[in-house]
Amino acid sequence: MAGGNQSDSFELLLWGLSDKPEQQRVLFLVFLWMYLVTVTGNLLIVLAIVTDKHLHTPMYFFLASLSCADILFTSTTVPKALLNIQTQTRSISYAGCMVQLYFFLTFGDMDSFLLATMAYDRYVAICHPLHYTMIMSPRRCTLLITACWTLTNMVAMTHTFLIFRLSFCSKKVILDFYCDLGPLMKVACSDTQVNELVMLFLGGTVILIPFTLILVSYIRIVAAILRVPSAQGRRKAFSTCGSHLAVVVLFFGTVIRAYLCPSSSTSNSVEKNTAAAVMYTVVTPLLNPFIYSLRNKDMKGALGRLLRGKVFILRCK
């Protein structure tokens, strides 16, 4: 056993994406493809929003922030999982595990807060259109993003510090493909009662409060849309909000399943937990570019102009 100040040479083991050797090559190729598509798609969204002046609005400012968070979120877990598959090892250093945990919590919580912020933006745009410019001013948008980053960093630092105080037995297997709170506490060799209470309180706060705010926002949005006399106007409003709701349901549904529902350590339960983790750490960031670009005429136009410009530059060279 090692104390809460384990050295960098101290190692833990990650269960990985699967314990079946015959699946490793397929999993490597699938997750490599998903990671590359995720990074490329979200990066294109950021570039399109930055370079197109028509998209310099609060809605796309928050979307660009979500895409940046998604790139960092998936980059925290997937490259290490791919490296472990490729090298046929499960090890991760104690220091590497703590760093991964901190950034995973930061960017994961950032997604939660950003989705709530985007719901608030849509609520103001649809329910208070005449005051939208005044309410969602550049200063307020900047303050909202700053608040999101500040809160997520505080939550991540709190959890990481409490995990750092625990003792771990060397070569213990973390039942996941990355370092997360629940699996780490299960392999700790010291009392985790404080950690569990803090995780329940902060986890519930970070997950349920944004989720509740999103639900309240969309109940009011739907009520406002139903009062619109134009059928075309209702369709346009529902189309804009529908894509956001799809992301919300997928993200929060799997996060609530992973963090707020009890699970055992049986092989079947571990596989279900891993599947849920894959949904919100890999699949949701992968789907976001498609959901927000393919269902959005302005984004499709901006992406088309961006890609045509890149092709033109390459031809000129």
Side-chain angles (χ1 to χ4, degrees):
M1 181 186 298
N5 56 345
Q6 281 97 338
S7 66
D8 292 344
S9 60
F10 177 80
E11 288 188 340
L12 294 163
L13 299 177
L14 295 169
W15 186 78
L17 294 163
S18 173
D19 61 347
K20 299 178 175 64
E22 66 273 13
Q23 296 179 351
Q24 299 305 308
R25 182 171 178 79
V26 174
L27 286 171
F28 178 84
L29 293 175
V30 170
F31 276 80
L32 177 61
W33 175 82
M34 293 172 73
Y35 177 66
L36 293 176
V37 172
T38 298
V39 172
T40 303
N42 282 290
L43 188 59
L44 284 174
I45 284 183
V46 174
L47 290 174
I49 293 172
V50 169
T51 56
D52 196 314
K53 292 183 179 179
H54 297 94
L55 302 183
H56 290 181
T57 64
M59 183 177 86
Y60 294 107
F61 173 63
F62 295 135
L63 177 56
S65 300
L66 180 66
S67 292
C68 289
D70 279 341
I71 291 172
L72 296 169
F73 186 39
T74 193
S75 296
T76 302
T77 58
V78 177
K80 177 59 178 174
L82 292 174
L83 178 64
N84 281 6
I85 293 175
Q86 184 66 20
T87 58
Q88 297 184 350
T89 180
R90 294 185 175 188
S91 65
I92 183 170
S93 69
Y94 174 75
C97 188
M98 293 299 103
V99 170
Q100 187 182 65
L101 174 68
Y102 171 76
F103 285 114
F104 171 79
L105 293 173
T106 298
F107 301 128
D109 292 346
M110 188 67 183
D111 266 13
S112 179
F113 284 118
L114 280 174
L115 289 171
T117 304
M118 292 170 74
Y120 173 70
D121 172 72
R122 291 300 84 207
Y123 160 73
V124 175
I126 293 173
C127 298
H128 303 283
L130 298 179
H131 300 95
Y132 179 75
T133 305
M134 181 180 67
I135 296 173
M136 301 304 294
S137 62
R139 182 173 178 272
R140 176 163 293 185
C141 291
T142 303
L143 286 174
L144 285 170
I145 292 295
T146 303
C148 289
W149 280 109
T150 302
L151 289 172
T152 55
N153 273 279
M154 289 174 62
V155 171
M157 282 191 290
T158 301
H159 284 306
T160 306
F161 173 74
L162 289 174
I163 288 290
F164 184 75
R165 294 174 62 249
L166 299 178
S167 300
F168 295 91
C169 299
S170 183
K171 301 298 182 181
K172 277 278 189 175
V173 179
I174 300 170
L175 299 178
D176 216 324
F177 64 95
Y178 59 91
C179 292
D180 197 6
L181 290 173
L184 270 170
M185 283 189 281
K186 287 180 181 178
V187 300
C189 299
S190 54
D191 182 46
T192 62
Q193 187 174 3
V194 174
N195 297 71
E196 291 169 2
L197 290 173
V198 172
M199 185 178 77
L200 184 63
F201 174 74
L202 287 182
T205 301
V206 170
I207 295 170
L208 295 180
I209 289 182
F211 187 57
T212 302
L213 291 175
I214 291 170
L215 288 180
V216 171
S217 296
Y218 274 98
I219 289 171
R220 294 191 175 187
I221 287 171
V222 170
I225 291 174
L226 292 176
R227 292 196 297 267
V228 175
S230 166
Q232 183 179 358
R234 288 197 298 270
R235 282 196 300 270
K236 183 178 179 181
F238 275 125
S239 177
T240 302
C241 298
S243 59
H244 184 232
L245 273 178
V247 176
V248 167
V249 171
L250 180 61
F251 179 79
F252 280 99
T254 51
V255 167
I256 290 171
R257 160 68 179 81
Y259 287 94
L260 301 184
C261 297
S263 60
S264 63
S265 299
T266 63
S267 177
N268 187 45
S269 179
V270 171
E271 290 177 358
K272 289 180 179 179
N273 292 342
T274 301
V278 167
M279 290 301 292
Y280 65 82
T281 59
V282 183
V283 176
T284 302
L286 170 69
L287 293 179
N288 280 353
F290 297 100
I291 291 173
Y292 284 112
S293 60
L294 296 180
R295 293 177 57 86
N296 188 305
K297 184 174 69 175
D298 294 333
M299 274 303 308
K300 284 192 286 188
L303 286 169
R305 288 188 291 273
L306 175 68
L307 294 174
R308 284 195 297 271
K310 296 295 182 183
V311 171
F312 177 75
I313 291 172
L314 288 173
R315 285 179 177 175
C316 290
K317 288 182 178 180

